[in-house]
Amino acid sequence: MGHNIRACRGVNTIQRLRNMPKDSLIKRARRNIFYKILSESTRVLPALLFIYIARKLGDENFGKLSFAYSFAGICFIMADFGLSTILIRNVSRQKELTKEYVGNILALKIVLSFICISVIGLFVLFTDYPADVITLLVIFGGVMFFRSLIDFFCAVFNAHERMDIEALLKGTNHILLFSSGIVVLAVGFGLFGLANVFLVVYSISSIIGFYIVYVSIVKIRPSFDLRFWKYIFRESLPLALTVIFTVIYFKIDVVMLSLIRGNNSEIGWYSAAMRLVELIGVIPALVVSALFPIVSGLHRESIDSLRKVYKTSFRYLVVIALPIAVGTLLLSGHLIYTIYGEEYVKTIPALKILSLALVFIFVNYILMNILVAVDRQMTNAIMAGTCVFVNIALNMCLIPHYGYLGAGTATVITEIVLFSLGLYYVAKYICKINIVAVVSKPFISVAIMGTFIVLATAKLNLAFVIVLSALTYFTCLLLFRFFTKEDKVILMHLIRK
């Protein structure tokens, strides 16, 4: 299919967007966010499962599982190659491209997945890791293959703004994984029984995803259009580099801990803290991913509308992230003892360090996605590549001396670097954000909240402290008149029936 045909179809799509009432965009955002919340909220179940795994298996076996999971995840970064994001962006603009994109990208992902499996095989052949770790690597290689297919099917649903179906698929996967994992561990099958549960559940979920796409969206048939493959590879290369770099700097710390320190218990302590940070990271991920199809359309429709969505999203993510970061920092000891138990006491300093990255993690979601929405994939790739270099260099310097705490410090610094680059490039290509104006009132509010936490922690139950500190924070925001009339209008639209 020629590029001119795509351009002609794009004219009709843009015209439809221009004719669309602004209220409909809000309704779409409200619907998308609702189902994203429903979908991503089920991620609590795998998170709870990992907590149970950590408590049941102990820090050493949990470290082995975390290494296998992280290494397999790094090997499978090539399986996506940025194709899912390109599919969402382009098909959300022109639905008639669905069949062409789905058929060709599915075939590409299968080919790339087998290359990734081969990489894991080569690693197994040329390393002297113990047999149990090698077995876990092979199993989780299969897990990541089926997981990549599930992510692809979810991308198809996102492109058609069918977040309800995505919620069904992910919810089914998470419920099956949680219930099966708990039963297997409770019965006593141990580490390898659990790993096989991951493999079976993800394979079943991928079959369900294939069937739903086939029935409700498009009849999937793998396609081998070499001209399209060349076009899509060229289009997705910057995104692929971004995905590769991002996954590396998120997961390389666990792999480098294993290679440099070789202490599975240390990996377990660090992974326990990272699991909590990843769980918190669901919040910005679901908001930004729900808005992404709309933002991509707005880029073609109105740059002013895009700027408005960006500024609003930035403000909201900052105002949500600050109390979570400060609360995690001040309550880390209580959280670790409550969630993981005394065996993971050495996770506390790691969580304290990683909590410093939370605000940057939240905001980086919108910075990177807004650049993709305005077709600045190469800029994202440059940012992510810089961060990989920074992260690996810092890990090499810090891990030998400080172990898992050095890895946590490297993660925080990397997120700050990514934030600085993202802020610069978004200001260059879209618009500037007045950081002082955005942060000043929330910062004062969170300082008051932090003081309350310090004074109340010794006297009140953890749950009460969390609830009351949140009320303190948002009360301060109201008193300082942080929320504008427009914020109130948006809130009313989002909660309206």
Side-chain angles (χ1 to χ4, degrees), residues 61 97-98 112 180 190 289 291 304 333 361 405 416 490:
N61 280 334
L97 298 178
T98 299
L112 292 171
S180 303
S289 59
L291 291 174
D304 290 333
I361 289 172
L405 300 181
I416 294 173
I490 292 173

Side-chain angles (χ1 to χ4, degrees), residues 77-78 80-83 85-86 112 232-233 235-247 377 381 384:
I77 53 181
M78 285 294 294
D80 182 75
F81 208 79
L83 299 172
T85 304
I86 291 293
L112 292 171
I232 203 69
F233 267 128
E235 187 82 359
S236 65
L237 178 60
L239 279 173
L241 293 174
T242 302
V243 171
I244 291 169
F245 293 148
T246 302
V247 172
Q377 298 94 293

Side-chain angles (χ1 to χ4, degrees), residues 340-375:
Y340 292 111
E342 293 184 4
E343 186 176 359
Y344 286 85
V345 64
K346 292 189 177 180
T347 297
I348 296 171
L351 184 59
K352 285 182 181 290
I353 292 171
L354 290 170
S355 68
L356 302 176
L358 284 173
V359 175
F360 303 104
I361 289 172
F362 270 58
V363 176
N364 287 341
Y365 270 99
I366 189 64
L367 293 176
M368 297 194 76
N369 277 275
I370 203 78
L371 287 169
V372 174
V374 297
D375 300 330

